[in-house]
């Protein structure tokens, strides 16, 4: 073989040299791309499909524009700006039916949602596109949003939340017709979104103020005391403690005691 | 009739001969009581009505007994260990207390109802008449009692012994004075004479000792965990409850717990939205108490001292749940509604240039919480 490879002409020798160089370059390039660490490049947001964004714009123009303005800038006296409002806020407000609001009042109340999940996604795509992205929902859903330490969740709930929402999430009154709602029948993602975005008069709890683990622990605690869960053996009668219990004690207990007293003293 | 003639008493031999019924009548006569009817409710023994009544009472007592036994069994054997709400043993656990209540309640009820039914069915239905003693006592009683009292007053001889009368007056009088002084002296002393006392009303747990920095610390549910607050931890329209922390306490578990529990420590750290921060009105003398958009007010209400934890982020109002006082966070937390009349004390804060965490530059400039007599304002 060696005898044959001894190039017979000058041209062939040159070609062989060039070929060797090319192979060497390609193999070094391949090694480089495999071994060198990837630089951290900024990843653009999952660019939403233009059709979704268009559908979202259509939806926005039909539903939200009256109070939130044509460019998401908000209308004074009617609705705040939605620039950079983020997926979490839109998900919370629309999936609980609070938005689209039908009447201006002390606060927008929860009602059956008007927008379907698909429409909510379209709206999110449009607002992210038109106003810039904001705070996003966590990737986990449902049961994955429950933490493992409900006792700590209870501590945090009592420190941060119980003043407005009551120790077991029965809700409470705020000033001038506003109120903090009861936490029954709310799913985990909605609770997470509410903590993250601070809807209406609720303060915002960023992921640095309450870490995701702490938020999940709070969600587990809330789940353990709402939806009829924290009633060891009895009718909670609204979970309002002495108010409702006192009422029942007087209405039923006292009347029964009076009846018994009358029976004791009656003629045989 | 105002005078009753005492009936003549039988002699001892006559007493021996009286049987129980006659003794009853005699006792009644001595008290002025006459038994008119005292019948046996079931004069004919063995009727069906009597048997039914017996069975009824026996049933209730038996029920009480069975319920008591059930109570003991439930107390010993029913699973009482806490089960979380999503476990399938939760229902059984949650019925522990009601079962105890039902069994014990039934037992007590059974005994009570049994006793009452027995009284109604089996005790004689007594009708008795008692003389009514109207008017004053008999003249002889009045005169003899008065004579007794007057005699006790004069025969002891105090009236004739002035030295004893005066010394008695002095001794008892001074004792009475001492007793009345006990509750009044507390009102006259000044409880705030030592104003430097760190536990007095003038100071809180934020009081600086020497040059040591006091950091703002967040509570995470674990008392021994030290997490300090940076400005970027809060978003606009956020509120966080913070407590004082000193570096010297870092390994002192008791001091760490105490800082979270001392009642005048909780402070609300509020980050206002930029458009609201532009509208802020500062109180004279407190212009540099804030750090940019960050304002720190005490949680202790200036009305009666409840924690004013309710922060409404849109209206920037701080609401106290006890008596519904509202404080405006944009106007040095002055009260805008409700019974409070004085603003919430503001904690002066800044960011420590060395570590980047929030620190309090000094204690509050006034006593926090409700007013008291000696408070200057």
């Amino acid at each position: 073989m060696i005898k044959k490879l001894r190039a017979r002409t000058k041209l062939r020798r040159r070609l062989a040299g060039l070929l060797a160089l090319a192979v060497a370059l390609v193999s070094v390039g391949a090694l480089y791309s495999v071994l060198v660490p990837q630089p951290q490049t900024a990843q653009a947001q999952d660019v939403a499909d233009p059709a979704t964004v268009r559908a979202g714009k259509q939806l926005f123009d039909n539903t939200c524009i009256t109070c939130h303005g044509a460019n998401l800038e908000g209308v004074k006296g009617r609705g705040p700006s939605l620039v950079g409002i983020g997926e979490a806020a839109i998900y919370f407000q629309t999936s609980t039916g609070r938005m689209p609001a039908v009447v201006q009042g002390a606060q927008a109340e929860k009602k059956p949602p008007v927008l379907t999940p698909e429409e909510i996604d379209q709206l999110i795509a449009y607002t992210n596109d038109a106003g810039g992205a904001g705070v996003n929902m966590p990737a986990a859903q449902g049961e994955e949003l429950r933490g493992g330490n409900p006792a700590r969740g209870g501590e945090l709930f009592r420190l941060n939340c119980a003043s407005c929402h009551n120790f077991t999430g029965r809700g409470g009154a705020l000033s001038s017709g506003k109120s903090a709602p009861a936490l029954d029948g709310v799913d985990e993602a909605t609770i997470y979104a509410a903590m993250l975005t601070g809807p209406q008069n609720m303060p915002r709890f960023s992921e640095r103020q309450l870490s995701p683990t702490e938020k999940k622990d709070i969600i587990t605690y809330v789940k353990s005391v709402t939806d009829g869960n924290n009633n060891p053996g009895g009718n909670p009668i609204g979970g309002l403690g002495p108010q409702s219990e006192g009422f029942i004690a007087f209405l039923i207990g006292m009347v029964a005691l009076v009846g018994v007293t009358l029976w004791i003293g009656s003629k045989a | 009739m105002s005078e009753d003639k005492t009936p003549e008493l039988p002699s001892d031999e006559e007493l021996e001969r009286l049987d129980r019924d006659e003794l009853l009548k005699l006792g009644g006569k001595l008290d002025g009581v006459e038994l008119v009817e005292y019948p046996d409710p079931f004069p004919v023994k063995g009727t069906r009505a009597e048997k039914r009544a017996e069975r009824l009472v026996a049933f209730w007592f038996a029920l009480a007994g069975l319920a008591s036994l059930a109570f003991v069994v439930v107390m010993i054997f029913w699973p009482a260990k806490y089960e979380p709400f999503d476990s399938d043993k939760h229902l059984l656990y949650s019925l522990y207390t009601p079962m105890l209540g039902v069994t014990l309640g039934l037992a007590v009820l059974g005994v009570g109802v049994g006793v009452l039914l027995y009284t109604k069915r089996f005790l004689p239905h007594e009708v008795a008449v008692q003389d009514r003693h109207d008017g004053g006592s008999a003249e002889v009683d009045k005169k003899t009692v008065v004579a007794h009292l007057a005699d006790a007053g004069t025969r002891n001889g105090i009236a004739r012994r002035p030295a004893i009368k005066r010394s008695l007056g002095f001794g008892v009088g001074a004792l009475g004075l001492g007793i009345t002084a006990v509750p009044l002296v507390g009102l006259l002393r000044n409880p705030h004479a030592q104003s430097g006392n760190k536990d007095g009303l003038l100071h809180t747990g934020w009081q600086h000792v020497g040059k040591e920095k006091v950091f703002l610390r967040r509570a995470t549910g674990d008392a021994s965990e030290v997490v300090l607050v940076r400005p970027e931890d809060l978003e606009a329209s956020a509120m966080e409850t913070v407590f004082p922390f000193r570096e010297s306490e870092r390994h002192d578990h008791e001091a760490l717990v105490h800082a979270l529990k001392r009642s005048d420590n909780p402070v609300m750290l509020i980050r206002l939205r930029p458009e609201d921060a532009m509208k802020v009105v500062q109180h004279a003398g407190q212009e540099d108490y804030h750090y940019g958009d960050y304002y720190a007010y005490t949680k202790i209400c200036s009305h009666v001292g409840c924690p004013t934890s309710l922060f409404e982020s849109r209206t920037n109002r701080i609401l106290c749940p006890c008596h519904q006082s509202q404080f405006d966070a944009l106007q040095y937390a002055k009260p805008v509604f409700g019974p409070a009349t004085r603003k919430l004390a503001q904690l002066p804060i800044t960011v420590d240039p060395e570590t980047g965490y929030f620190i309090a530059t000094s204690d509050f400039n006034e006593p926090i919480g409700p007013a008291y007599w000696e408070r200057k304002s």
Side-chain angles (χ1 to χ4, degrees), chain A residues 27 50 59 95 114-115 169 179 207 222 232 243:
Chain A
S27 55
L59 210 51
S95 66
V114 170
L115 301 175
S179 62
E207 302 282 55
V222 169
Q243 300 170 48

Side-chain angles (χ1 to χ4, degrees), chain B residues 33 42 188-189 191 210:
Chain B
V33 173
F42 295 107
L188 298 171
R189 276 193 305 224

Side-chain angles (χ1 to χ4, degrees), chain A residues 93-103 108-114:
Chain A
Q93 299 284 7
T94 49
S95 66
T96 58
R98 287 178 167 89
M99 290 291 137
V102 295
V103 63
E109 297 292 344
K110 181 173 175 178
K111 51 192 193 313
V114 170

